[in-house]
Amino acid sequence: AHKEEMIKINKGKRFQQAVDAVEEFLRRAKGKDQTSSHNSADDKNRRNSSEERSRPNSGDEKRKLSLSEGKVKKNMGEGKKRVSSGSSERGSKSPLKRAQEQSPRKRGRPPKDEKDLTIPESSTVKGMMAGPMAAFKWQPTASEPVKDADPHFHHFLLSQTEKPAVCYQAITKKLKICEEETGSTSIQAADSTAVNGSITPTDKKIGFLGLGLMGSGIVSNLLKMGHTVTVWNRTAEKCDLFIQEGARLGRTPAEVVSTCDITFACVSDPKAAKDLVLGPSGVLQGIRPGKCYVDMSTVDADTVTELAQVIVSRGGRFLEAPVSGNQQLSNDGMLVILAAGDRGLYEDCSSCFQAMGKTSFFLGEVGNAAKMMLIVNMVQGSFMATIAEGLTLAQVTGQSQQTLLDILNQGQLASIFLDQKCQNILQGNFKPDFYLKYIQKDLRLAIALGDAVNHPTPMAAAANEVYKRAKALDQSDNDMSAVYRAYIH
């Protein structure tokens, strides 16, 4: 009765996994009860049919018997369909898997009366059947064959979940590559949270460089999910907590890379990313053939391309994997990961990506993830500036800011982001969840990206000026929502 309240209080992947495990057990129990009741009805129909066959038949009686047998078969087919339909509404399994579990036949082609149950399955369907999506009924028709290759539909489904932690899907169930006719890079989306949250950690040794707002949550989740992790941070004291949780300490970036199979890094900006690789005792000094380096920093495409070239020149393997999210999502292991570069390394990182995020995307060649990440943050930063502008305009015109928020939360703009950032402003609480100085950096890099291809970015440029004003008011180390203060000074 208090499930929703408890989930809100206990924000975290493991609590959600426990809730899902209990609900899955109950769904299976109900499914078995339904199956046994339908089987009993089928047995009764068979007995009635057998009794009629044992009686002497005239021509009319044979016709009646034939009609009776047809009805029994039809009822049996409808019974199976009802079981499948009912279980799909309650459970997280697809109609196909439910039908296979209920049928004594495990292999081979299904009989004709089971054709309606052989619905093509994708990880999208699995995710749709769990949590808040359980009420979403998706009934494919004969005229509309089911497709599992549309990444846009996949992300629509993700957007419908009220809590991000409800989508537990296997990374092995990937959406088919969807190439645009223009010949642009293929994009493939991969669900990166394992079924029921169960993750088998890789046996490779993992290194992690940078324990800021994002890196700290990522490392914590890697350790919780059983990975062997060696950490390094410019400020060594930040490593202490993770050492207590079971991490190993690396004295330099070069040492971490030389002792680990895959090393991740998450630092603040292009200069920090370059210094980490090219500086004294940097990553490059520890790279040798077979060593893998994954840069999760949000930087420009030129920087990440340069880093990839020097890593590969030493025989290393390189992947860029910037993340979309904030400190809370990082702590909850619900980040969105954008990857590009070495496809094999992307696959090798699967258990790590499962631990730190809910979804990962592979975007092709190096540089594509950097560009996409800047565009995502450009939209987010511009939206935040608009929210602040609206709240201040409401205030100076005598309107209630709280009422404005209530109205927005009832409309098409309603989102967790909108509500949280408005609450920050109304409460005057600007504790950093995403540093203002970093969103301004991303806006600046996005504008430069537009300049490079002669594409106008007037909204981002205007927002960037407001963030620069906020920085001049000493708001750099506050949350991005502190851009509000640029409007009231």
Side-chain angles (χ1 to χ4, degrees):
H2 304 285
K3 182 185 75 171
E4 297 300 325
E5 180 183 352
M6 292 298 292
I7 288 175
K8 289 179 181 177
I9 295 172
N10 296 275
K11 294 179 180 178
K13 184 179 289 186
R14 291 196 170 187
F15 187 83
Q16 182 67 56
Q17 291 166 7
V19 172
D20 288 352
V22 172
E23 291 184 335
E24 176 64 17
F25 177 83
L26 295 175
R27 283 194 290 267
R28 290 188 179 186
K30 288 181 181 180
K32 288 178 181 178
D33 292 342
Q34 282 282 344
T35 303
S36 61
S37 65
H38 282 294
N39 286 343
S40 298
D42 290 345
D43 290 341
K44 183 177 180 180
N45 287 333
R46 290 193 192 96
R47 285 196 299 271
N48 292 340
S49 177
S50 177
E51 289 173 3
E52 289 193 21
R53 288 196 195 95
S54 64
R55 296 172 188 164
N57 299 303
S58 64
D60 290 338
E61 288 173 336
K62 286 181 180 180
R63 283 193 295 272
K64 290 180 182 178
L65 177 59
S66 176
L67 289 171
S68 176
E69 288 177 341
K71 289 180 179 178
V72 170
K73 288 182 179 179
K74 182 177 179 182
N75 289 337
M76 288 170 65
E78 289 177 352
K80 290 178 182 177
K81 290 179 183 177
R82 282 195 297 272
V83 172
S84 174
S85 175
S87 62
S88 69
E89 290 177 19
R90 290 186 304 273
S92 61
K93 295 189 177 182
S94 68
L96 174 60
K97 286 200 171 184
R98 285 284 184 190
Q100 288 174 338
E101 287 183 2
Q102 292 163 4
S103 171
R105 192 167 48 253
K106 296 292 183 183
R107 297 179 180 176
R109 294 183 178 179
K112 291 181 179 179
D113 62 350
E114 292 181 344
K115 277 185 178 180
D116 289 340
L117 298 176
T118 58
I119 300 172
E121 176 182 43
S122 73
S123 58
T124 297
V125 180
K126 288 183 178 179
M128 179 177 66
M129 295 302 180
M133 290 303 294
F136 188 98
K137 300 178 180 64
W138 181 52
Q139 299 293 339
T141 64
S143 61
E144 296 178 355
V146 180
K147 295 181 180 179
D148 63 354
D150 185 354
H152 301 292
F153 180 65
H154 165 71
H155 300 300
F156 163 76
L157 289 175
L158 286 182
S159 71
Q160 301 309 297
T161 58
E162 293 178 8
K163 294 179 289 298
V166 298
C167 292
Y168 296 115
Q169 304 155 348
I171 193 169
T172 52
K173 288 286 184 182
K174 295 173 181 174
L175 297 181
K176 195 164 62 176
I177 293 176
C178 179
E179 287 197 18
E180 298 180 5
E181 294 179 0
T182 58
S184 61
T185 306
S186 300
I187 297 177
Q188 180 170 5
D191 297 335
S192 64
T193 305
V195 176
N196 293 327
S198 61
I199 296 172
T200 302
T202 179
D203 57 1
K204 298 181 184 297
K205 295 178 181 178
I206 304 300
F208 203 95
L209 313 175
L211 299 173
L213 288 183
M214 306 297 280
S216 294
I218 291 172
V219 170
S220 180
N221 282 304
L222 287 172
L223 291 170
K224 287 176 184 177
M225 297 303 170
H227 295 84
T228 301
V229 185
T230 299
V231 296
W232 174 89
N233 190 69
R234 186 171 53 185
T235 306
E237 291 76 16
K238 285 190 176 181
C239 297
D240 294 343
L241 177 62
F242 302 101
I243 302 303
Q244 294 173 17
E245 293 183 9
R248 301 172 184 178
L249 178 64
R251 292 176 295 179
T252 65
E255 180 183 290
V256 173
V257 172
S258 63
T259 58
C260 296
D261 300 303
I262 303 174
T263 300
F264 295 85
C266 187
V267 292
S268 58
D269 55 34
K271 183 181 184 303
K274 288 181 180 180
D275 289 346
L276 189 63
V277 173
L278 305 173
S281 300
V283 168
L284 195 60
Q285 294 184 24
I287 292 291
R288 60 178 185 269
K291 292 295 182 180
C292 303
Y293 187 62
V294 182
D295 195 335
M296 307 190 78
S297 313
T298 299
V299 297
D300 57 287
D302 289 342
T303 295
V304 79
T305 300
E306 180 183 344
L307 297 181
Q309 289 172 349
V310 296
I311 296 294
V312 172
S313 70
R314 295 287 183 90
R317 300 166 64 195
F318 182 85
L319 185 75
E320 59 166 332
V323 292
S324 178
N326 54 29
Q327 184 182 28
Q328 185 61 55
L329 293 176
S330 177
N331 292 341
D332 292 342
M334 299 305 293
L335 296 169
V336 176
I337 302 156
L338 312 183
D342 188 320
R343 179 58 186 265
L345 178 52
Y346 171 70
E347 299 293 346
D348 291 341
C349 293
S350 61
S351 73
C352 297
F353 288 161
Q354 290 172 42
M356 64 181 76
K358 65 175 179 179
T359 308
S360 67
F361 296 78
F362 185 75
L363 302 176
E365 64 183 18
V366 169
N368 285 344
K371 294 173 186 176
M372 185 67 81
M373 189 74 258
L374 290 177
I375 294 168
V376 169
N377 283 357
M378 178 188 77
V379 172
Q380 181 173 263
S382 299
F383 183 43
M384 182 67 252
T386 300
I387 292 172
E389 190 171 294
L391 285 172
T392 52
L393 182 59
Q395 183 180 40
V396 299
T397 56
Q399 304 304 306
S400 166
Q401 292 178 323
Q402 181 62 58
T403 301
L404 172 61
L405 173 57
D406 293 341
I407 293 169
L408 291 173
N409 275 335
Q410 294 299 316
Q412 292 178 315
L413 293 178
S415 65
I416 294 174
F417 179 82
L418 172 73
D419 186 61
Q420 288 180 341
K421 298 309 179 185
C422 285
Q423 293 294 349
N424 287 355
I425 292 171
L426 294 178
Q427 296 167 15
N429 175 19
F430 300 107
K431 180 181 177 182
D433 194 42
F434 193 121
Y435 283 116
L436 183 143
K437 61 185 176 184
Y438 292 159
I439 197 67
Q440 190 272 324
K441 175 261 300 181
D442 294 343
L443 280 166
R444 172 172 53 82
L445 293 175
I447 293 167
L449 177 62
D451 288 344
V453 292
N454 197 31
H455 183 78
T457 53
M459 301 300 118
N464 185 47
E465 293 302 315
V466 183
Y467 283 99
K468 285 161 62 177
R469 168 67 175 159
K471 287 177 65 177
L473 294 169
D474 296 325
Q475 301 302 313
S476 292
D477 292 324
N478 283 332
D479 186 71
M480 68 162 73
S481 53
V483 70
Y484 172 82
R485 289 179 171 168
Y487 287 98
I488 59 176
H489 284 81

